[in-house]
Amino acid sequence: MSDERMSQFFPRKSNASIENKRNAASSTTRRSARSRMMNESVDGAHLHDFHLESMNPIRSRQAQNYETKNDFVEKSSLTDYRYCFDAQGKLVSLDDGKPFRFNVCRNDHDNQTRYHAIGRAIDEYIYEQLEGLYHLKRIQIPIDARPGEPTGFFFASEDFQDADKLMIIIHGTGVVRAGQWSRKLIINENIHVGSQFEYILHAKQLGFAVIVTNTNLNTDESTRFIRGSETAEQHGCYVWENFVRQSVARHICIVAHSYGGAVMLEMASRYTPDFDKRVFAVVLTDSPMKCYIKNAHPNVLKVLKKRTINWVASTAKVNTKLGDRDYGLIRSAGHTLHEWTSHTACVDIFRFITEAFQQVQRYKH
């Protein structure tokens, strides 16, 4: 992947209804399926840090004068916001090359609204990169959608139905969509550390077909639930039932960040024999599995125990062994912040996947 290609900007193709769809899906999903996940932050997920106007009565009164002036107007693409990703993957201004600025509107409400709108533009940019740069195809679900019925989608490599090796990638909860670990990192750091691009690239280099789930896309623009994707867990199971089970892959690995661990657990619980037979490695990044396994069947935990490592936020050096749990081993991700863990542990994660696959091959022979 050349710097020149990464820096190329693809104009946004979506219309206003898709913009509303992203917004509706995010808000409705948080109210319903994962309202119980108060122990996790949004964005896998982290909202941009700022002080609300209401925290300062004087500033709040001043802000009231601006709120009626429509200081922020949503635009249709990153270029309309005068932003692009440079050769290093940094989100920068097209006008002066400076990094993203949060405080550009006259009140914090508009600044936050703008932040999320730019995030939705980034969703579309990442989708376009998945299709154009990484040659994944967008697969509509449900597969038997009726005319006018709400639909969602996920991404997969062209060979996912016929490949012997398959990697399934699952992001966390909140505003993130397919191809992202953290919107916060994409906007404030760079696209390489916040997206799933490096995982897709490494997986393909190792000969894996790839499925990139889209577990937070649960409703359409009218907040009507998408059949089979009403929750993150249902989305994951729908993809397994209708696509993974139909594939010929004998060697499957799963990489899941944060709440993605709950999605993985539901897949393992619902399809235990198939999961046990075909999944040779489960990778978790800072997933609070203690919250998810309380009602898990002992047989499911037994399956996970022998093939799962959770790389967690820690002050210890990356890959330091931190003990084990009922579902698998714990190792340090080499970073203290939740949203960074998928990126900082990436090298050791793929070393584990490679070694686990080699072990399976030796066992079979």
Side-chain angles (χ1 to χ4, degrees):
M1 177 174 53
S2 68
D3 287 343
E4 181 179 357
R5 293 194 69 186
M6 180 55 71
S7 64
Q8 182 179 5
F9 178 78
F10 292 87
R12 187 175 185 171
K13 301 176 183 177
S14 63
N15 55 30
S17 67
I18 294 183
E19 292 296 330
N20 293 333
K21 182 176 181 180
R22 305 294 175 251
N23 190 36
S26 180
S27 60
T28 301
T29 303
R30 288 196 297 272
R31 289 197 305 269
S32 56
R34 266 140 7 251
S35 60
R36 65 186 182 278
M37 292 306 302
M38 297 302 292
N39 61 306
E40 290 196 40
S41 55
V42 178
D43 185 31
H46 295 258
L47 294 178
H48 192 91
D49 296 327
F50 70 100
H51 295 290
L52 294 171
E53 292 288 348
S54 58
M55 299 293 286
N56 187 321
I58 296 177
R59 291 185 64 208
S60 181
R61 288 195 296 272
Q62 292 172 341
Q64 291 174 5
N65 296 326
Y66 300 133
E67 289 171 358
T68 61
K69 294 183 179 180
N70 297 320
D71 196 31
F72 171 78
V73 177
E74 186 159 353
K75 301 175 176 64
S76 60
S77 70
L78 278 178
T79 50
D80 290 333
Y81 289 108
R82 305 300 299 162
Y83 280 107
C84 71
F85 288 99
D86 67 12
Q88 287 71 47
K90 185 80 174 176
L91 186 65
V92 297
S93 169
L94 283 168
D95 298 320
D96 57 17
K98 293 183 178 180
F100 172 78
R101 290 174 56 218
F102 179 77
N103 291 308
V104 299
C105 299
R106 291 175 291 180
N107 64 78
D108 284 340
H109 177 270
D110 281 350
N111 281 322
Q112 189 68 26
T113 300
R114 171 179 173 271
Y115 177 79
H116 287 300
I118 290 175
R120 289 189 290 275
I122 287 173
D123 293 345
E124 295 301 323
Y125 176 82
I126 295 229
Y127 292 159
E128 290 163 354
Q129 297 297 297
L130 293 177
E131 293 176 304
L133 194 59
Y134 294 94
H135 307 294
L136 304 186
K137 59 181 180 179
R138 189 182 305 214
I139 300 177
Q140 178 179 292
I141 52 176
I143 56 178
D144 58 346
R146 299 177 292 272
E149 181 181 8
T151 59
F153 57 89
F154 66 97
F155 292 87
S157 54
E158 293 283 349
D159 60 342
F160 85 95
Q161 292 176 311
D162 304 315
D164 180 61
K165 298 190 294 182
L166 174 65
M167 176 179 289
I168 302 172
I169 302 176
I170 311 173
H171 55 59
T173 189
V175 297
V176 289
R177 295 292 184 266
Q180 302 178 47
W181 296 129
S182 168
R183 176 185 286 182
K184 177 181 178 181
L185 292 183
I186 292 171
I187 292 178
N188 296 296
E189 297 296 333
N190 67 69
I191 201 168
H192 304 299
V193 302
S195 77
Q196 297 168 350
F197 291 167
E198 63 180 340
Y199 279 78
I200 296 168
L201 182 61
H202 289 325
K204 285 192 165 190
Q205 289 173 342
L206 290 175
F208 283 86
V210 177
I211 286 179
V212 179
T213 60
N214 206 7
T215 62
N216 293 330
L217 182 57
N218 310 114
T219 67
D220 68 359
E221 66 275 8
S222 301
T223 69
R224 296 181 301 166
F225 281 103
I226 298 167
R227 177 162 54 91
S229 292
E230 294 88 345
T231 68
E233 293 92 333
Q234 287 173 300
H235 174 92
C237 288
Y238 188 92
V239 170
W240 187 286
E241 174 70 30
N242 294 279
F243 297 94
V244 177
R245 286 187 72 177
Q246 317 307 323
S247 74
V248 301
R250 295 179 301 164
H251 305 100
I252 300 173
C253 64
I254 298 175
V255 179
H257 174 63
S258 193
Y259 194 81
V263 178
M264 177 280 301
L265 181 62
E266 184 65 21
M267 294 160 73
S269 300
R270 196 176 299 188
Y271 304 103
T272 303
D274 194 35
F275 192 100
D276 186 21
K277 179 180 178 180
R278 303 168 73 187
V279 175
F280 71 91
V282 175
V283 168
L284 303 172
T285 56
D286 210 37
S287 184
M289 291 296 291
K290 182 180 179 180
C291 302
Y292 311 144
I293 65 172
K294 293 178 181 178
N295 299 316
H297 194 281
N299 289 344
V300 174
L301 296 180
K302 183 179 179 180
V303 168
L304 294 177
K305 178 80 172 179
K306 56 188 178 182
R307 66 198 74 182
T308 302
I309 299 179
N310 191 1
W311 276 266
V312 302
S314 170
T315 57
K317 182 181 177 181
V318 64
N319 212 41
T320 299
K321 296 179 180 179
L322 302 177
D324 59 9
R325 301 292 185 271
D326 292 339
Y327 63 86
L329 300 176
I330 305 294
R331 294 186 182 178
S332 171
H335 206 289
T336 58
L337 296 181
H338 171 77
E339 65 268 28
W340 278 90
T341 53
S342 298
H343 174 68
T344 55
C346 182
V347 172
D348 291 289
I349 284 171
F350 275 92
R351 184 178 295 116
F352 162 66
I353 291 172
T354 300
E355 292 173 353
F357 179 73
Q358 291 172 346
Q359 183 175 352
V360 169
Q361 293 297 96
R362 286 195 297 268
Y363 177 77
K364 288 185 176 182
H365 292 89

